[in-house]
Structure formats: C-alpha cells, structure tokens
Amino acid sequence: MTDDKGHSKDDVTGPGAEDVKRQAVGTEDEKWTVSRRKFLGLAGAAGVVGASGGALLGGLATPGTARAAKMPEDYVAPGQLDEYYGIWSGGHSAEIRLFGVPSMREFVRVPVFQDDFTIGWGITNESKRVFPKGPRPVGGDLHHPHMSMTNAQYDGRYIFANDKANTRVARIRVDVMRTDKIIHIPNAQDIHGLRVQRVPRTGYVFCNSECRVPHPNDGRDLNNPKKYSAVFTAIDGDTMKIAWQVLVDGNLDNTDADYSGKYAAATCYNSEDGVNLAQFIRNERDWTVIFNIPRIEKAVKDGHYFTIEDPNVPVVDGRHGSDLTMYVPTPKNPHGCNATPDGKYVIAGGKLSPTATVISWEKVDQYFAGKFKNPMDAVVAQPELGLGPLHTAYDGRGNAYTTLFIDSQVVKWNIEDAIRHYNGKKVDYIRQKLDVAYQPGHNHSSLGETRDANGKWLVSLNKFSKDRFLPVGPLHPDNDQLIDISGPKMRLVADAPVYSEPHDCLLIPAKILIPKIKRVWDRNDPFFAETVAMARRDGVNPVSDNKVIRDGRKVRVYMTAQAPVFGLDQFEVNKGDEVTVVVTNINNIQDLTHGWCLSDYGVNMEISPQETASVTFMADKAGVYWYYCTFFCHALHLEMRGRMLVKA
Ligand code: CUK
Ligand code: CUA
Ligand code: CA
C-alpha cells in the first residue's frame, strides 16, 4: 500500500510502527478514515456542548478525508518567493508568526506579550518600554491579529492583537515587525474579539471583553453575577489610548466592523448572565450586538458618560433600551462575526445551532432610523450549514466559507441564495462541503476581510491534527490546511503543522508589504530613540564610541558591534553596580545581525544592522563573565566575545 505521495506505509519500522501504518496520511482505508472522523466528531461535540448538547450528535457520518490536490512545492520552488504573507496568531505562545503562503513555510516569530530570549524581548530596555508600567505578566494568549486599513484595504502600517490572558491589546509595527505598544484595558477581563475600523481608516481598534466582571472589580460582588458586566472598547489606533467603552448586557465574544464606518458588531454567547457552562447554554438564542459609532461618539462628546476604574476612559451605557446599540437575537452561543466584503452583511456563526445568522447593515440603518422596532427584522437569512458553525470567510464572488467544528468540514455556501431561501424560494445555497482534518476554528481567505477579497486561498485552522503527522508525544500540533478556492470546487493543497495555538491568520499580498518592510534599521528609529538620547547626554556617539561612563553606582557601557568584534573586549564594574550595556550594530549590510549574551546573567539581545539595543542589570555576582555574540555573523563569530569583570 502506498499513500498518494508514493510512500509505502510499510517503510515505517520501530516502536509504534503499527499505529503509524494504520494511521498513515492519505490511507486508502476508507473505513478506518470514516471511523476515525466519527470518533473525532463525537469527541468534539462532547467537548463543546457537554451532556446537555447530546441532541447535536445526530448525522455525524462524513465522507473520507480529502486528499491533497497539488503540493505547495508546485507553487513555490526553492528560492522563489511566496505570493502572500501569512500573519499567524501564536495563541498562548503570545507571539505572531509570519508565514509564506502558499508554501506554508514559517519565516519568523515576532514576540508580542511573551518574553523571548532570541531577541531579548522582555529583557532589553527598549522592549520593556513597550509594556504598560508596573509588574509584567510573563505571557499572554493572542488570538486575533488584524492589520490596519485605509478605505477597507490593508495599508501595511500596523498589526493589532489581543491578549485574552492578561486583558491587553498590542500594536506591532509592520515596517520592522516589532511590537511598539501594549496597553491594558480597564473595566474588563479577557480581551477576546478584536477587529479594526475599515472606513475611513484605522482609526478605531475594537475589542471585546469576554468574561463579565463586577464594576468596580474590588472584591465586593463575588456572588452577585447580576452585577457583572462586559464592555466593548474602542482604542484609537494612532495613539493607543482608549477612546471610549460601551457597557453591554451579556458578554462579548467576537467582533467585526462594517464597510461604512458607522457600525461594529459583536457576538454574545452569555445572554443568560451565567457563570458556569450549564447556565451559558440555557437559552436557545443569545444575540449579536450592533454598536452605532456616530451616536456613541456624540454621547461621549455631549458628556453622557461615566467612568469606572480609569477616570480618563469614558464609558457609555449601551445595555437594553439604549439607542446606542441594537441586540439582534442570534441562535445559539454564536461565535464568529464576519462582515462580508461587499459591505452588505455581517454573519454570525451559530456554534451550538447548525445555522449562521445573516444581518443586513441596510436593515440596521433602518432600525436606528426608527423604521421598525423588532431587531429580528434585520436578519435576512439563517441558512442551515452543519454542526458547529464557527467562523466565516469570503471569496468576493458572493460565496461564504464557514468552518464546522463538529463536522470537521468547511462548507461553501452562497449568500444571496441563502437569502432567497429565507424568503421562501426553493433554492439550494450549499455549494460544497470539504472535509478538513480536524475540528476547524477560524478560517481565513486571501484578502477576504477587505474590499479586495479575491477568492484565491483559504486557510482552515484546525485544532486537531490527530494522525496527520508523525507522532510527537501527547501534545499534538494544530493542523493549518491550505485550500485552493479559485475554482468552482475547493481543493485541499497542504497540511501545515503549527505549534499551539493559532486561532486566526491574515493573508496579505506580498506586493503590498514588500515595499513597507525595512531590511536594516533607520538610525533615527523611535524604537531606540530614548537609548540614543541617553547616549547623547553621556556625550557618547553610539555608532563610533566605546566608553564606560560611571554615574555613582550606575555604570553605562557603550560598545559597537561590527563583525566579528565588539568595540570593547573588556570592561570593569563593581559588585552592586547597576549596569546598563548599550550595543550598536554598525554593520550596514542586510541580514548581518549580532547578539549580545552575557553568561550567567540571563541576558541576551538581538541587534540587527544599524540597531541600538540596551539592557540594565545588577552586577550582583563578582567574577569574570564572558559576553559573546549569539547570531552566527562571521567565520570568526565564535571569537566575537569579551569579558566583564565584576570586582568584589
Ligand atoms: S476564537 Cu479561537 S477559534 Cu478566539 Cu477567534 Cu474562534
Ligand atoms: Cu556577531 Cu556573531
Ligand atoms: Ca448562551
């Protein structure tokens, strides 16, 4: 027996070989494949809905696992460049990752909320300045990276991302792929959904608090969940200051903005005001909240707001009865929230309902204009798609692609046909169901969240890989599958194992980003401007001087790095000194990065061409300590080192 790449499963030997043979990728053993998928369907369903969701378990039989049609190497040969940048969320690794698409190669990782020894994130002074003041949690849970837009097109300025674990939002500069600002969101806990204002530009970054908390959360209201609430937050993407917040009923899960600049929408799965699973899934319908941005801005301007934890953050009341919001009933525990690129609709994935709910922005306009009273009338379709609909992507040709978590499928369906069907016409809106492996969360199509949606590629971000890769221990990789959606049928192209746990990704044409991305640092870059200003105050020119400045118990050590030497091969400090080492890479050649690692002091930092990086530490151990370069920069890279003497 051979798989469709011509490998024989009998080639596998050694411990566990029998399992590998049975579970080989692309097996012809349809029966085994079907039972494997059934098992996963059941496990997934149980995981989502618990015992009370048993009714959802019907009809789980699915056809065999889809085969790869054409491999990524057919699209991107060695040495060739990918057509798309993939911006991947790292989940609870708290970073973002840059992939090439269609090769699905991972290029680099950009640390955001977590410490990273490779580049010294959380170690250098420049990175510490990015974080809010005060104690810094070690990690985060980054779900939703989204790029700034101008006129509903990616503009290549920033990527914004949430931290669900520590209630923060970060901004990453695209030109140097470096995080440049992290803020903590007050009056909230667990920032989850995050999207950007598309029109006229970003503008606002919208984000959701998922877990309701008492306001103020000062320990008084542990057992009074009725007093808990969640807020919708608008951050000014230019200043990274919070513009305003809206107090809502229920919680908020995912969010999206419209294509006119007037509205944002957010799904809510806890209309029950519950605090445990049984309560969260009690109602048949929760809701999608629509936020009327001009009215909220006017309310803030007119002073119709209050403050809670932070006196500088205006909060308006958008709970039921408010004219700032609209609550559109949505079955059941809805999750994904995705605006269509034609600017007409926003679609909420039903999760515990087999449906998606299509809400018309035009009807939303009419509701706020007082033309009708029942928010339900803004719903223009509710197609039945399959089990566990989560997120939806678009091809710009009127089709939607919704992930079905429990069915382990992506369903392609036609939006206008679904609307006709809702209006009583006998039309079939389902175009195709494609098996994915397994249990997809988000999916994302090329440019599908912009007005340029081009229907070329779709990535399905699958939570389970199960038997698709060599076994690597009990913790399995996720499996992000690349699907060609350019033709009438979806075709699976590649499986890509990824480390836990990407929730979402973006696909951005390389031609948009290549001109924006720097190959070497600009000496005037604001990222290290404060460090350069400190050097100037010390009378030091960091690109030429190698000097030790003593300032009481503070010592500042300035040195250059130029392959293969540091400007200082030794320096001396006293035990108990606070030492700041400033290293400037004066090479001006693309790809010639140095590192500065100080043995037994827990210090490493990356210094790329023309960059200045600095670190401050207490010289609390006497002795000789070597520092050495950590990026292989030259034939004499290993010899690129020096000594710090800490005098007792
Ligand atoms: S969420 Cu993870 S699969 Cu945080 Cu966008 Cu839906
Ligand atoms: Cu500099 Cu290695
Ligand atoms: Ca619910």
Side-chain angles (χ1 to χ4, degrees), residues 143-144 192 254 335 390-391 441-442 463 503-504:
H143 287 213
H144 301 114
H192 183 228
N254 277 289
H335 182 62
L390 293 183
H391 297 278
H442 274 268
K463 306 294 189 186
H503 285 254
D504 203 356

Side-chain angles (χ1 to χ4, degrees), residues 165-297:
N166 295 301
T167 319
R168 294 176 294 182
V169 171
R171 183 175 74 180
I172 297 111
R173 273 173 56 189
V174 170
D175 60 343
V176 288
M177 281 298 168
R178 180 115 348 145
T179 308
D180 85 329
K181 191 76 188 161
I182 295 175
I183 61 169
H184 183 266
I185 309 298
N187 310 328
Q189 209 167 84
D190 297 348
I191 291 299
H192 183 228
L194 178 145
R195 286 298 187 101
V196 301
Q197 185 180 20
R198 293 183 171 90
V199 174
R201 68 190 282 280
T202 312
Y204 292 130
V205 178
F206 300 116
C207 59
N208 284 350
S209 61
E210 182 177 347
C211 294
R212 300 157 65 251
V213 285
H215 288 131
N217 193 11
D218 59 2
R220 268 180 292 187
D221 289 319
L222 175 68
N223 279 318
N224 198 352
K226 279 280 162 206
K227 281 196 171 174
Y228 289 22
S229 52
V231 289
F232 179 77
T233 301
I235 300 162
D236 178 332
D238 293 326
T239 62
M240 289 299 279
K241 296 228 154 59
I242 295 168
W244 39 261
Q245 293 186 318
V246 184
L247 199 65
V248 296
D249 284 317
N251 75 339
L252 295 172
D253 191 9
N254 277 289
T255 183
D256 203 358
D258 72 348
Y259 278 71
S260 75
K262 278 186 287 189
Y263 303 113
T267 48
C268 156
Y269 64 75
N270 187 17
S271 61
E272 298 88 348
D273 291 346
V275 289
N276 61 38
L277 188 135
Q279 294 169 356
F280 293 148
I281 64 175
R282 192 176 288 147
N283 292 349
E284 280 312 306
R285 286 167 197 280
D286 297 284
W287 49 63
T288 304
V289 192
I290 312 284
F291 298 91
N292 185 319
I293 296 165
R295 283 195 192 172
I296 293 165
E297 286 173 330

Side-chain angles (χ1 to χ4, degrees), residues 125 531 534-535 538 540 546-559 568 570-583 596 598 614-620 627 643-647:
N125 296 320
T531 308
M534 179 183 78
D538 279 338
V540 167
N546 293 287
K547 270 188 191 160
V548 179
I549 308 279
R550 178 166 283 281
D551 173 8
R553 293 311 307 262
K554 294 185 177 177
V555 181
R556 290 184 287 279
V557 180
Y558 293 91
M559 71 177 84
L568 289 176
Q570 62 179 77
F571 63 87
E572 294 180 14
V573 297
N574 297 321
K575 190 177 171 200
D577 284 346
E578 183 198 280
V579 182
T580 298
V581 174
V582 181
V583 184
W596 196 86
L598 180 60
S614 71
V615 61
T616 300
F617 57 91
M618 291 302 295
D620 49 13
Y627 48 90
R643 286 166 302 153
M644 171 179 78
L645 175 67
V646 181
K647 292 185 280 193

